[in-house]
Amino acid sequence: MRHLGFYLKFFTWFSLRNLRTHPVRALTVLLGIALGAAVFTSVRLSIHAALDSFTRSMDVIAGSADRVVVQPGGRVPEEWVPRLLRLPVVREASPILTTYARFPGEKAAPFLLIGFDPILDQSFRKWRTAERSWEDANRWLELLKRPNTVIVGKSLAEKYAVHRGDRLTIEHTRRTAKFDIVGILSSTGLARAEGGMIVLTDIATFQEFTELHGWVDRIDLKLAPNATNRTLEEIQKILPENILLRLPSAAKESGQSMIRAYQLNLTILGFASLFVGMFLVYSLVALNAASRRHELAVLRATGASPYLLFFVFLAEGALFGVAGWFAAIPISTLLVKYMLQGVSQTISILFVRVQVDTLSLSPWEVILSFGVTVFTACVSALQPAWEAMQVTPGEALEISRHGMQYKKSHYKLVLAGMGCLFLVIPLSLLPKILNMPLPGYVAILLLFGGFSLFAPWGLNQMGKALSPTLRRFAGIPAYLAGRYVRDSGTRTAVSVGALITAVALFASLVIMIFSFRSTVELWTDQTVSGDLFITTKMGEINQFRYPIPRSVVQWLQEFKDRVDIVPSRRYFLGQNNFPFEFELLDIETFLRYGDFVWLKGDSDEVRASLKHGEGVVISEVFSSRTGLTIGDRFRAWIESSPVELPVLGIIRDYRTQGGVVFYSMSGFNIRYHDIQWSGCRIFFKDRTQDIEAAVASLQNEIVRRWGDTLDMISGDGLRNVILKVFDETFAITTVLLLIALIIAALGIATTLTILILERSKQLNTLYAVGASFGQIRSMILWEAAFMVVAGELAGIVCGFILSYILVYVINRQSFGWTFLYEVDWGALAMSFPLIILTALAAAYPAIKMVFRESPAMLLREN
Amino acid sequence: MIKKKTSPVIEARNLTRIYTLGNSEVVGINNIGIDIAPGELVVLKGNSGSGKSTLLSLIAGLDRPTRGYLTVAGHDLTKATTSDLTHFRREVVGMVFQSFNLMPTLNVLENTSLPGLLAGKSGDNVKSKATELLEWLGLSARWNHLPAQLSGGEMQRTAIARALINDPDIILADEPTGNLDSRNGQVVVELLAELNRKWNRTVVIATHSDLADSLATMTICLRDGMITDQACDI
């Protein structure tokens, strides 16, 4: 205890008081760490909220079922409920139907409508109405007694200001109908699904409303305690081949896995900001250790142990970590609100639907964020602390050196840098570990480390090469700047390292996003081709489970003289907990107007085979996830048919929610069974006309005939929406990038200021021997320019390498896709003036500080 | 006030410099009047805080007086602009510091050439002159060494060479022997004396050492910011 007391007192005297005398430096570093910690924390918290909301939603909807009976791509006949209940091993069974519906009005948000048997379901899911009296508590029985009655979730009721006793109009794919509200859910159990945006109704009402008489989405089962794997196999044997017995968590696990992949990627991006902030801590602690070297020697001479000095500087780093984390709290509070909406939207669009109603402050996430921040700051301070430990007591007597040190060789740093870079490619070729692209991330870390370690040597070479030339063209200030940068060693190299990291991140993500967008644009132009897209009302949100009525199909055929129609039917399936879509398409007509973006396989041969229904083409994502490739067999149950087809080719497809498998609709009708359209796309035969006007005219005709029973979007509209979704998805990434750049700029500013202040005497001597203010200012600006140019050029090179790793390793292993590599030179070039301006802006306050005091005062010896 | 008969190269009247440090004021020098003729070797003597360095920094154009009048080699420093002072420091005076204040990243030749290059003179001419100076100072063999590779005496001689590169009329030295052993200190003082005797430069040395006493043609004693007529009691 006494030792701890002494240590704290010593830390206060030695470190805290020193930091207090240079408040601006300390606060700048604190700000850098705070920004990095805020980004990291808010990324983690917002995705955790989305994951938590999704898990909770899935759990409350899944209830306490032991198993579920489903038909992939279809529905289960209701008759199986009593048949399963007759089995001794089945204790209870509850049929469930779910769909998304909405209230009338264009801006009405969809909610989940659940159809169930309130009595059979009692032990599966917990819910109750928010009634106070005993009489009112049984109002839920009205669901059974009266048709078209509903119980509304509390959040939904509050949003639309509806109450018990009100009448609601609900819209769905097939119908619009009125319902009486017999209760409002209290905020427990099932009410927490979908952020409270749910409506419960009796299964019969549901079936009538959705015209699904005799069908359910699934049957939840509770099994007897003595149920074994053998008994489960017995149950499966009783069921038809196309109806499966599954764990209730399958859908939840696949959704969680996708969200977690996204969480990991954003976490790494968030950590990058913290990583850049690390350089600031290193810079300041290293400066403190170096500039107070004589003090350290005196301390050693008067009895301090090397370990005391080591832990003092380590503690300085830790202090920045702790203080920075706390300073991050208000920034995180603001940032998380922005990120929560963006992240939820992205996850809902790309992966699974989530409705985040509350931001839950997970203690583990808070601890993780605190731990990572403090650990990172401590790691930053390790090397300077180690250097401080090496100071010998004898240095206390060395006053004639006047702080001049021999230049240290960069040889060891260059070797270490080469070692790091050498490992980058082998590591990036390794497969995933624990389902995460960990070797890829380690490769990225080594890439940053390698380039940063090269920085001192790079600056040295740059100074050597450029100083003489610059002297000729830009005068003595540029020459002096080059000489200083050449010989300054790790002092300037640290912040150049930070800049390299930030610029590399910026460059690589600019390239990756541009490549991705260009490829998505190509994909939308070719594969999402069509002048008008039609599906049933709310078709997409309900995963196209409700086909277009035959009457509509027949009516559309009347336009065949003007248009070509490409019908499609989409099934949302799963394979090994990996969701994918199986799409049937009129391949012949589609290929007349559009095409796939081919990745593998001879496209001419595959097209011909595909038209004849000889096999399927699969998306790159599907191939990555399942391991299937050309020549393998694709197998799945589609409604009542077991489909088995060879894989003909692999294509690029950026549809959300997993991979895609395409097959010819006519081929399916011939080989398996007739299916109905879930949607279609229309191409006008006369391509010379005003297509936009033609589309609008056709839409009006459809609305006149069918009202709002169909959802329609023009081809241009759909392609623009896809690109808009893409842009919004990467908006978060762009914000995180900019923050990393700001932190790096802060690093440059801090380092410049510190280095200039450290050289006050030198700079004032220059003034004394005849340099003008302008020459000294020019010299400092040239130093800033050297550092920035070195950081920018090395960062761009590093960024190109990083972009390859992101495109071909990280994206492929995280999400299963790659894209055509393309460089946006314009956007890359934009970073240069931005960074230059930032550095120059940072240099100015430093210049003013140099001559804040009179040169005479600074040059005095006593 | 000490007067000489010839037209002075350094002339001060009622020269005062007051520093404001926080809420308090510190008087550096107070009402000083001096006349220094060309070709003098002047020793400014006094304890720490006597005002020697303050007076020297005013003469060097590194600082501005609070009150009074100061002319150096015909330049009225009280009315000079920033640009005038820059030119003055380049061409008229050469400074030598106690801690040498060499640029650590420049070698001996480069440190010596620096003021000439800052003044915009031709590189070749400056280099030639610097080489000459280094030869005179016995540093030819060390021309490409960095300051960290030099002894204290060598560093101070380099600083003297630097002070001479632009051929100034006046050499100002602030405690030039303060960080040297007695042997090297003697060498430096003799060099400054040689500059005075052979090269006819006016040399002003601020010191509390007595190494230069026997070589001085004029001694000014300072105490508490004022010139004292009493013997310099250090």
Side-chain angles (χ1 to χ4, degrees):
Chain A
M1 204 59 201
R2 203 158 54 98
H3 287 304
L4 182 63
F6 163 71
Y7 180 77
L8 286 172
K9 188 185 267 187
F10 183 79
F11 180 71
T12 306
W13 284 353
F14 188 76
S15 285
L16 291 185
R17 284 184 190 174
N18 181 59
L19 289 173
R20 213 170 53 189
T21 58
H22 305 288
V24 175
R25 291 180 210 177
L27 286 173
T28 307
V29 173
L30 207 65
L31 179 64
I33 291 284
L35 276 174
V39 164
F40 183 82
T41 308
S42 40
V43 158
R44 293 290 308 184
L45 283 178
S46 48
I47 298 191
H48 175 83
L51 192 58
D52 187 52
S53 167
F54 172 74
T55 304
R56 199 173 350 115
S57 197
M58 295 299 279
D59 282 343
V60 294
I61 292 174
S64 54
D66 296 319
R67 289 290 187 278
V68 296
V69 174
V70 293
Q71 185 192 149
R75 292 188 173 85
V76 181
E78 198 178 3
E79 69 197 38
W80 279 101
V81 177
R83 289 171 76 173
L84 286 165
L85 277 169
R86 282 202 285 273
L87 297 173
V89 72
V90 175
R91 240 181 341 129
E92 293 175 66
S94 173
I96 297 286
L97 280 154
T98 60
T99 192
Y100 283 95
R102 66 177 179 223
F103 300 132
E106 271 186 31
K107 294 197 176 158
F111 57 83
L112 188 67
L113 179 66
I114 301 176
F116 69 138
D117 184 320
I119 294 175
L120 285 179
D121 198 72
Q122 270 190 340
S123 65
F124 283 85
R125 274 155 278 273
K126 298 276 175 272
W127 60 273
R128 62 185 178 86
T129 53
E131 309 297 349
R132 295 217 171 96
S133 69
W134 185 85
E135 291 86 5
D136 290 339
N138 285 334
R139 285 198 182 274
W140 63 270
L141 287 167
E142 296 292 316
L143 289 178
L144 298 167
K145 290 185 205 171
R146 286 162 47 201
N148 283 32
T149 48
V150 294
I151 294 175
V152 176
K154 192 174 176 194
S155 301
L156 187 63
E158 280 168 5
K159 184 173 176 169
Y160 289 95
V162 297
H163 309 91
R164 181 166 61 84
D166 287 350
R167 185 155 257 228
L168 275 181
T169 304
I170 298 178
E171 269 186 3
H172 187 247
T173 305
R174 296 274 170 81
R175 292 176 61 185
T176 300
K178 292 193 189 306
F179 295 82
D180 293 321
I181 301 176
V182 298
I184 306 291
L185 283 175
S186 69
S187 308
T188 55
L190 203 52
R192 299 175 70 206
E194 295 277 319
M197 304 287 281
I198 65 165
V199 170
L200 307 182
T201 190
D202 176 66
I203 196 166
T205 299
F206 187 108
Q207 286 169 327
E208 181 155 340
F209 181 52
T210 57
E211 296 176 15
L212 288 171
H213 303 97
W215 297 95
V216 296
D217 285 342
R218 69 177 199 264
I219 303 171
D220 288 2
L221 301 179
K222 274 198 171 174
L223 304 174
N226 60 353
T228 59
N229 285 338
R230 193 151 168 201
T231 36
L232 293 173
E233 282 167 18
E234 300 286 335
I235 297 175
Q236 184 62 71
K237 278 185 193 158
I238 294 165
L239 294 167
E241 271 187 276
N242 60 326
I243 295 181
L244 306 175
L245 190 67
R246 281 199 178 146
L247 282 167
S249 56
K252 180 178 83 171
E253 280 164 11
S254 76
Q256 283 177 328
S257 143
M258 285 193 283
I259 297 174
R260 285 207 178 96
Y262 181 59
Q263 179 186 46
L264 181 64
N265 277 277
L266 272 194
T267 301
I268 298 295
L269 203 57
F271 178 73
S273 298
L274 204 52
F275 184 76
V276 173
M278 205 167 104
F279 286 94
L280 270 89
V281 173
Y282 175 90
S283 191
L284 186 59
V285 176
L287 169 77
N288 285 342
S291 63
R292 304 173 75 196
R293 200 175 174 88
H294 187 71
E295 282 177 59
L296 297 178
V298 170
L299 281 171
R300 291 280 284 117
T302 48
S305 72
Y307 295 106
L308 178 66
L309 301 186
F310 177 83
F311 284 113
V312 156
F313 284 99
L314 198 67
E316 237 180 68
L319 176 70
F320 279 114
V322 171
W325 187 85
F326 279 101
I329 292 173
I331 307 173
S332 301
T333 311
L334 286 171
L335 205 52
V336 80
K337 279 180 190 157
Y338 160 75
M339 291 202 69
L340 192 59
Q341 195 189 349
V343 159
S344 304
Q345 193 178 344
T346 303
I347 292 173
S348 292
I349 289 168
L350 292 184
F351 310 116
V352 287
R353 191 171 161 75
V354 293
Q355 280 270 25
V356 182
D357 49 347
T358 53
L359 176 67
S360 57
L361 205 62
S362 160
W364 290 115
E365 292 293 344
V366 171
I367 291 169
L368 173 72
S369 144
F370 180 78
V372 167
T373 306
V374 174
F375 177 76
T376 309
C378 285
V379 165
S380 318
L382 261 180
Q383 199 269 345
W386 175 259
E387 289 274 344
M389 205 174 154
Q390 311 307 312
V391 173
T392 59
E395 282 185 49
L397 301 172
E398 288 175 16
I399 55 170
S400 60
R401 289 287 96 200
H402 300 282
M404 291 178 197
Q405 307 263 331
Y406 280 103
K407 272 190 302 184
K408 285 185 186 167
S409 163
H410 301 135
Y411 173 64
K412 281 184 188 166
L413 293 175
V414 167
L415 272 183
M418 281 172 67
C420 288
L421 293 177
F422 184 72
L423 288 171
V424 167
I425 293 177
L427 271 173
S428 55
L429 293 174
L430 290 175
K432 287 193 276 192
I433 295 175
L434 300 174
N435 213 30
M436 291 185 282
L438 289 177
Y441 289 131
V442 173
I444 291 173
L445 211 63
L446 288 175
L447 183 67
F448 288 147
F451 267 82
S452 298
L453 288 167
F454 264 99
W457 176 85
L459 284 170
N460 183 272
Q461 296 304 308
M462 201 172 158
K464 263 190 205 162
L466 292 179
S467 300
T469 314
L470 280 173
R471 182 169 143 186
R472 196 183 293 277
F473 294 108
I476 189 71
Y479 172 74
L480 289 173
R483 290 301 298 272
Y484 174 72
V485 162
R486 186 193 81 172
D487 297 324
S488 58
T490 53
R491 309 295 280 281
T492 46
V494 167
S495 70
V496 171
L499 188 60
I500 290 173
T501 305
V503 170
L505 268 174
F506 178 83
S508 61
L509 283 164
V510 160
I511 293 171
M512 189 197 83
I513 293 171
F514 184 73
S515 297
F516 202 170
R517 198 179 200 279
S518 301
T519 314
V520 167
E521 271 187 44
L522 177 66
W523 168 68
T524 56
D525 281 342
Q526 286 188 221
T527 311
V528 190
S529 51
D531 297 324
L532 181 65
F533 288 79
I534 301 172
T535 181
T536 50
K537 183 160 58 177
M538 302 185 75
E540 189 172 355
I541 197 172
N542 285 309
Q543 297 187 332
F544 306 103
R545 302 186 74 195
Y546 300 90
I548 293 179
R550 290 193 197 278
S551 53
V552 174
V553 170
Q554 275 166 6
W555 182 82
L556 284 171
Q557 311 278 22
E558 290 169 19
F559 293 90
K560 275 207 158 158
D561 57 333
R562 280 198 267 159
V563 302
D564 276 322
I565 304 176
V566 178
S568 64
R569 180 64 192 264
R570 290 160 75 169
Y571 294 93
F572 284 72
L573 305 172
Q575 186 140 333
N576 301 332
N577 280 351
F578 163 65
F580 72 96
E581 281 182 44
F582 180 76
E583 180 163 347
L584 298 168
L585 197 60
D586 178 353
I587 299 280
E588 174 102 37
T589 314
F590 167 70
L591 287 175
R592 235 184 282 150
Y593 292 94
D595 201 357
F596 296 108
V597 182
W598 299 97
L599 186 61
K600 281 185 189 164
D602 184 320
S603 54
D604 290 329
E605 277 182 27
V606 175
R607 280 193 205 97
S609 301
L610 205 53
K611 283 183 205 174
H612 292 125
E614 289 169 18
V616 297
V617 288
I618 61 175
S619 70
E620 183 187 14
V621 174
F622 186 84
S623 175
S624 301
R625 287 291 162 85
T626 59
L628 287 179
T629 188
I630 296 173
D632 292 338
R633 310 287 291 182
F634 165 75
R635 293 182 183 87
W637 277 95
I638 309 296
E639 291 177 347
S640 53
S641 297
V643 170
E644 185 175 332
L645 294 158
V647 175
L648 301 172
I650 301 177
I651 56 165
R652 293 184 192 274
D653 192 288
Y654 301 100
R655 201 169 304 194
T656 55
Q657 299 176 357
V660 190
V661 177
F662 287 98
Y663 185 57
S664 157
M665 184 180 266
S666 55
F668 189 92
N669 286 339
I670 295 166
R671 276 188 189 227
Y672 301 107
H673 62 266
D674 279 339
I675 45 94
Q676 288 181 268
W677 302 2
S678 61
C680 65
R681 59 180 99 180
I682 287 174
F683 296 88
F684 284 91
K685 288 181 177 173
D686 178 9
R687 306 305 297 171
T688 61
Q689 65 178 311
D690 180 347
I691 301 288
E692 204 179 315
V695 164
S697 168
L698 182 56
Q699 276 179 295
N700 287 336
E701 280 190 68
I702 294 170
V703 167
R704 265 199 301 273
R705 174 64 181 84
W706 299 102
D708 65 350
T709 55
L710 298 170
D711 275 354
M712 289 181 284
I713 185 167
S714 68
D716 283 344
L718 177 60
R719 287 183 283 279
N720 287 338
V721 161
I722 291 171
L723 291 174
K724 186 167 171 255
V725 161
F726 179 93
D727 291 337
E728 282 171 4
T729 304
F730 282 102
I732 295 176
T733 311
T734 309
V735 167
L736 298 184
L737 263 184
L738 286 172
I739 293 176
L741 274 176
I742 289 169
I743 296 173
L746 276 175
I748 294 273
T750 312
T751 304
L752 265 178
T753 309
I754 290 171
L755 291 175
I756 286 164
L757 289 176
E758 235 194 348
R759 292 186 291 144
S760 274
K761 203 164 186 179
Q762 258 184 57
L763 295 172
N764 280 280
T765 301
L766 275 177
Y767 177 77
V769 302
S772 65
F773 281 128
Q775 283 174 318
I776 294 174
R777 188 167 47 230
S778 178
M779 187 184 85
I780 294 169
L781 288 174
W782 274 104
E783 281 174 20
F786 266 108
M787 287 165 63
V788 160
V789 168
E792 176 80 16
L793 290 176
I796 295 284
V797 172
C798 181
F800 269 93
I801 302 171
L802 180 57
S803 67
Y804 269 91
I805 299 176
L806 286 177
V807 170
Y808 294 110
V809 177
I810 302 296
N811 263 283
R812 190 205 294 270
Q813 291 184 2
S814 298
F815 303 111
W817 54 41
T818 60
F819 14 91
L820 300 163
Y821 191 88
E822 270 190 59
V823 181
D824 185 356
W825 295 104
L828 277 183
M830 279 240 338
S831 70
F832 194 66
L834 270 173
I835 300 282
I836 281 268
L837 283 171
T838 310
L840 295 180
Y844 262 95
I847 292 164
K848 287 190 87 166
M849 287 181 83
V850 168
F851 295 105
R852 189 183 41 186
E853 281 190 67
S854 150
M857 287 297 281
L858 280 162
L859 289 171
R860 289 167 71 91
E861 295 296 339
N862 302 309
Chain B
M1 197 169 70
I2 298 166
K3 285 186 181 174
K4 286 283 177 175
K5 287 179 184 170
T6 53
S7 180
V9 71
I10 299 172
E11 188 181 350
R13 297 284 179 271
N14 302 317
L15 196 63
T16 304
R17 179 65 171 104
I18 300 171
Y19 297 101
T20 306
L21 299 170
N23 291 330
S24 55
E25 285 186 341
V26 175
V27 178
I29 54 171
N30 189 12
N31 255 346
I32 284 182
I34 52 169
D35 288 317
I36 297 174
E40 295 274 8
L41 192 155
V42 181
V43 171
L44 296 178
K45 293 205 86 172
N47 285 327
S48 285
S50 60
K52 314 188 292 297
S53 297
T54 303
L55 179 58
L56 208 68
S57 63
L58 289 171
I59 296 171
L62 290 174
D63 202 0
R64 288 183 185 272
T66 311
R67 284 192 302 270
Y69 162 82
L70 175 64
T71 304
V72 179
H75 297 258
D76 183 349
L77 297 188
T78 47
K79 289 179 185 160
T81 63
T82 307
S83 150
D84 292 338
L85 286 175
T86 302
H87 177 78
F88 173 80
R89 287 191 304 276
R90 282 176 188 170
E91 306 291 345
V92 180
V93 296
M95 276 293 296
V96 178
F97 300 92
Q98 178 180 354
S99 298
F100 327 126
N101 289 358
L102 298 176
M103 299 296 129
T105 57
L106 304 181
N107 64 29
V108 167
L109 182 65
E110 287 162 344
N111 264 293
T112 305
S113 307
L114 187 58
L117 296 171
L118 287 168
K121 292 180 179 169
S122 143
D124 289 337
N125 289 346
V126 169
K127 189 176 172 184
S128 166
K129 172 88 187 193
T131 308
E132 224 178 86
L133 285 168
L134 291 177
E135 202 174 316
W136 174 65
L137 289 162
L139 289 169
S140 298
R142 312 288 265 165
W143 70 271
N144 62 344
H145 288 230
L146 294 172
Q149 297 166 304
L150 304 176
S151 68
E154 286 167 339
M155 282 198 272
Q156 196 60 296
R157 280 183 279 150
T158 307
I160 292 172
R162 181 179 67 187
L164 294 171
I165 193 68
N166 283 333
D167 246 341
D169 295 325
I170 302 167
I171 306 298
L172 305 170
D174 188 8
E175 300 284 0
T177 62
N179 284 340
L180 301 174
D181 56 70
S182 57
R183 189 174 75 81
N184 278 305
Q186 190 64 46
V187 167
V188 165
V189 165
E190 281 170 11
L191 277 170
L192 291 171
E194 191 174 334
L195 280 173
N196 173 250
R197 303 258 145 77
K198 279 193 184 166
W199 295 30
N200 210 37
R201 299 285 193 271
T202 307
V203 175
V204 181
I205 306 173
T207 182
H208 59 258
S209 151
D210 53 11
L211 279 174
D213 284 357
S214 59
L215 300 166
T217 60
M218 179 180 173
T219 301
I220 300 173
C221 295
L222 291 164
R223 180 178 289 155
D224 298 330
M226 290 188 288
I227 293 174
T228 171
D229 288 335
Q230 294 172 7
C232 291
D233 231 348
I234 311 292

